[in-house]
Amino acid sequence: MAIVRVSGPKVREALERMAGSVPEPRRAVLRAVTHPSTGEVLDQALVLFFAGPASFTGEDVVELHLHGGRAVVAAVIGALGALDGLRLAEPGEFTRRAFDAGQLDLAEAEGLADLVQAETEMQRRQALSQAGGVLSRVYEGWRARLIRARAMIEAELDFADEDDVPAGVSDRAFAEMGAVAGEIRAELAPGGAGERLREGAEIVLLGAPNSGKSTLLNAIAGRDVAIVTDEPGTTRDLLEVRLDLGGYPATMVDTAGIRETESRVEREGVRRARARASGADIVVLLADGLDAASALPAPDGAELLRVRTKADLIDSSAERDSVRTRFDHTLSALTGAGVPEFLADLSARVASRLGSGEPQMITRNRHRVALEACAAALDAAQASRGAGPEIVAEELRRASDALGRVTGRVDVEDVLGAIFGEFCIGK
């Protein structure tokens, strides 16, 4: 099946010319969809009409549920384009129109974009929560509390001589400021779990040539991503595979074998491997023997997981005892022994780095920047308590405006194009 959606003031006219008439809103009807000029039947389709403003975009909207052949879809889109006043939607335009009509705010639109692109269960949960307004309600709740605090400060400033303004109203305002600031700092504290969940963890496989990196990558991916040979130095560049580890997204990176070499190309591969490992979340150090393990330098900063590969070649109990004390895991990518245990441990480590799975209040860097600006303005308001209520009120305005930028209430024109451009055509 394929769904063609049309939104705007020409919807009723398009329906009358291509489907005979406008059906009852929100009731699916079977219609012959015809070309408006020739009358040729293009398809038998289910037609749904949504009258504005009770639609996704706030305008009249029609959905044509067509058979999914490319020729059918192309013919219907071509026929629609032949009508005056109709054109193909830009990327994200339906969601942009919904935002402009007040059907959803900017944070909800971002959640919808993330939901369209979600690859794993945890990404889906976070995106669905944000698209459903959970984040917006928290941000707007903070903003409303700060606006009330500002009103208290300004009331004391403007009507200090009036009996209707109780004494000590500014004390309540400063208490509210402190409470909101504390809640915001609690959300800033986890260190970007929401943003990291959107991008996923990065896992770098590091080891000497022929230590089993590419074989392990192929085994985990379930396909031949990397070339595997007995010749050292086969992998020269970085190879990436997207993974779903227990519902969390991750990118596993195969790298060139770490060794001294005269080959300029291989040296560049080794440099890239070290650079990628230095910025990874987790580095898996692979070695096919005790000597190889001790010779491999561990990068600073990343969480390390030491793995003894080619377990099928271990043939002595003494070596097995040494392996258990020197490595976190022993596995054979060739036979599959130890791989499930390794993946379970890896999944748990990724989960601990990307959060508990509960929806986060900060899912993008711009949210973090806005919250940091709000917290800084609240600090300035508290510090200005003895300088006069005018300065406090201005700092409160800055704080509430920073929160308003997250949901799109204040000064967001510069970010709209970037956000809605993430959608594909027709979303």
Side-chain angles (χ1 to χ4, degrees):
M1 299 296 294
I3 299 176
V4 174
R5 178 189 279 174
V6 186
S7 178
K10 295 286 188 177
V11 163
R12 293 173 185 266
E13 180 182 338
L15 276 173
E16 289 170 354
R17 295 192 60 181
M18 294 183 62
S21 64
V22 179
E24 179 184 341
R26 301 179 179 276
R27 181 182 178 188
V29 296
L30 182 64
R31 294 283 176 86
V33 178
T34 61
H35 196 285
S37 299
T38 66
E40 176 190 1
V41 175
L42 304 177
D43 194 20
Q44 293 286 336
L46 285 176
V47 178
L48 276 164
F49 173 66
F50 303 89
S55 70
F56 178 71
T57 62
E59 306 170 316
D60 286 348
V61 174
V62 64
E63 290 182 357
L64 304 176
H65 294 236
L66 309 166
H67 293 94
R70 294 185 179 182
V72 173
V73 176
V76 172
I77 289 177
L80 287 166
L83 295 172
D84 290 339
L86 270 68
R87 59 168 175 80
L88 283 175
E90 298 293 332
E93 187 168 356
F94 279 78
T95 309
R96 173 66 182 266
R97 285 171 178 249
F99 169 74
D100 289 339
Q103 300 292 87
L104 74 171
D105 64 31
L106 200 56
E108 290 168 337
E110 289 174 323
L112 187 58
D114 290 345
L115 191 60
V116 171
Q117 299 170 12
E119 297 176 302
T120 70
E121 176 64 12
M122 296 306 174
Q123 286 178 318
R124 180 194 66 80
R125 290 183 185 180
Q126 176 168 286
L128 189 61
S129 173
Q130 184 173 338
V134 171
L135 184 152
S136 299
R137 287 191 287 275
V138 172
Y139 279 62
E140 284 300 306
W142 285 334
R143 184 170 178 267
R145 289 162 65 186
L146 294 183
I147 290 173
R148 284 197 300 270
R150 181 182 171 189
M152 294 180 198
I153 294 293
E154 292 186 350
E156 192 171 74
L157 171 65
D158 295 335
F159 307 105
D161 297 332
E162 300 289 337
D163 294 337
D164 291 340
V165 180
V169 69
S170 64
D171 292 336
R172 295 202 300 273
F174 279 100
E176 190 71 273
M177 285 183 236
V180 172
E183 292 170 22
I184 288 174
R185 288 196 176 87
E187 294 297 336
L188 289 168
E195 299 115 297
R196 289 153 62 89
L197 181 58
R198 289 183 66 246
E199 300 298 327
E202 183 163 283
I203 303 162
V204 171
L205 304 179
L206 207 63
N210 280 356
S211 59
K213 302 183 300 299
S214 298
T215 304
L216 179 60
L217 182 72
N218 289 344
I220 293 173
R223 56 192 173 91
D224 289 337
V225 178
I227 298 173
V228 177
T229 71
D230 293 334
E231 180 183 342
T234 302
T235 302
R236 301 287 183 92
D237 210 344
L238 304 174
L239 299 175
E240 299 182 2
V241 172
R242 291 288 288 176
L243 300 175
D244 180 342
L245 295 176
Y248 290 89
T251 300
M252 183 169 282
V253 186
D254 186 18
T255 63
I258 305 298
R259 68 170 177 175
E260 297 296 328
T261 176
E262 297 299 319
S263 168
R264 292 172 56 191
V265 175
E266 195 174 348
R267 282 204 308 272
E268 175 61 18
V270 172
R271 185 196 67 78
R272 293 185 183 188
R274 294 184 185 277
R276 194 65 176 265
S278 66
D281 294 293
I282 300 172
V283 172
V284 181
L285 296 175
L286 286 85
D288 57 1
L290 298 178
D291 293 339
S294 59
L296 191 63
D300 296 330
E303 183 175 359
L304 299 178
L305 196 57
R306 299 180 183 275
V307 175
R308 169 62 158 91
T309 58
K310 305 180 184 180
D312 51 301
L313 301 181
I314 299 176
D315 56 5
S316 71
S317 58
E319 186 176 358
R320 291 190 185 91
D321 291 339
S322 297
V323 164
R324 279 194 290 268
T325 61
R326 301 275 295 275
F327 293 91
D328 299 298
H329 290 277
T330 303
L331 57 83
S332 170
L334 189 64
T335 66
V339 175
E341 294 80 4
F342 165 71
L343 285 177
D345 185 17
L346 194 60
S347 299
R349 292 170 187 255
V350 168
S352 68
R353 298 184 76 87
L354 298 187
S356 63
E358 294 298 318
Q360 300 292 319
M361 290 300 104
I362 305 172
T363 63
R364 295 180 181 233
N365 183 62
R366 78 173 194 91
H367 303 169
R368 179 171 297 279
V369 170
L371 286 187
E372 288 172 347
C374 179
L378 290 176
D379 288 343
Q382 295 279 6
S384 302
R385 186 166 188 172
E390 300 94 337
I391 297 176
V392 176
E394 174 60 17
E395 295 297 345
L396 281 173
R397 183 195 64 77
R398 290 177 53 216
S400 60
D401 283 359
L403 293 175
R405 291 189 186 96
V406 177
T407 56
R409 288 184 176 271
V410 180
D411 187 26
V412 293
E413 284 298 323
D414 56 337
V415 300
L416 292 183
I419 289 171
F420 293 110
E422 296 180 12
F423 290 84
C424 59
I425 297 291
K427 288 289 187 281

